[in-house]
Amino acid sequence: MTDVLNWIQKRRSIRTYTDILLSADQVEALLHAAMAAPSASDRRPWAFVVVRSEERRKALTKTHQSSYMCANAAVVIAVLGDPGVSPHWVEDCSAATENLLLAVTGLDLGAVWVGIYPNADRENLVRQVLNIPEEIRVLCLVPVGQPAETKLPRTRYEASKVYYETYGNSK
Ligand SMILES: Cc1cc2nc3c(=O)[nH]c(=O)nc-3n(C[C@H](O)[C@H](O)[C@H](O)COP(=O)(O)O)c2cc1C
């Protein structure tokens, strides 16, 4: 239990990476974690595109200002959802993304959630670069690499955001 809590607090957004590559086994381990996420009615509406190509990773930096880290990551994992499979694709794919980020931490790698959904222009650009059909949604991109920065673990617990029994009751 303590281990789990430590890993959760250790997960931080890592945006700079060394040029060490990830093995296929490492990437597969991350995807195993992602697909172990809870899923409404167990529909698992997700799909993942693993992008190693430098040309594609660079093209993905054009989605918005805060996606620059795709260029120097070893790999970018695009998290996709199919609304035709489940109306809960956002929740399910978000749970998968958090699992993926925690697994990254557990493997001593670094990553960050790069938001794409719900911005239509960002989604369309990712669709274009990765050849994704129109009916498939793009939740986010997750650039992953060997960390070139360290961040301290933290919890951001705020007692003021917790109520007991009824909303507004702090005790
Ligand atoms: C839905 C979502 C979208 C995010 N989009 C971006 C993004 O586009 N670029 C980025 O650098 N970080 C992005 N982040 C990461 C947050 O900035 C980060 O989680 C937050 O600052 C807290 O820092 P921490 O992850 O180190 O705890 C996103 C996080 C979430 C949950």
Side-chain angles (χ1 to χ4, degrees):
M1 180 61 177
T2 321
D3 270 1
V4 173
L5 297 180
N6 285 340
W7 285 117
I8 288 171
Q9 291 177 15
K10 254 182 109 169
R11 182 221 55 79
R12 296 294 311 278
S13 292
I14 300 298
R15 297 182 175 88
T16 53
Y17 318 100
T18 69
D19 46 18
I20 297 174
L21 298 178
L22 261 68
S23 70
D25 284 351
Q26 282 175 309
V27 172
E28 201 179 311
L30 299 178
L31 295 171
H32 272 268
M35 290 190 244
S39 166
S41 305
D42 205 17
R43 297 256 178 94
R44 289 164 281 155
W46 45 58
F48 305 86
V49 183
V50 177
V51 185
R52 288 188 188 267
S53 135
E54 186 179 6
E55 192 188 335
R56 287 198 188 88
R57 284 187 291 102
K58 280 194 172 148
L60 291 174
T61 65
K62 304 278 189 315
T63 48
H64 59 99
Q65 262 191 342
S66 293
S67 62
Y68 61 87
M69 52 302 252
C70 292
N72 72 336
V75 68
V76 175
I77 299 176
V79 182
L80 315 180
D82 187 343
V85 171
S86 172
H88 296 292
W89 71 271
V90 174
E91 297 92 318
D92 290 3
C93 291
S94 297
T97 303
E98 177 66 0
N99 268 18
L100 178 52
L101 294 173
L102 288 172
V104 162
T105 310
L107 292 180
D108 290 324
L109 298 169
V112 58
W113 180 322
V114 171
I116 298 299
Y117 171 88
N119 182 298
D121 290 342
R122 293 180 185 182
E123 268 195 87
N124 285 333
L125 197 145
V126 177
R127 273 201 196 94
Q128 240 176 32
V129 175
L130 304 184
N131 201 20
I132 297 166
E134 209 175 325
E135 68 275 14
I136 300 297
R137 307 301 303 267
V138 184
L139 181 78
C140 65
L141 301 172
V142 183
V144 188
Q146 298 282 342
E149 61 177 326
T150 49
K151 287 188 174 175
L152 292 175
R154 66 174 181 196
T155 167
R156 281 169 293 162
Y157 182 79
E158 292 174 78
S160 65
K161 293 197 173 164
V162 182
Y163 305 121
Y164 295 92
E165 306 300 341
T166 53
Y167 186 85
N169 185 33
S170 309
K171 298 254 156 150

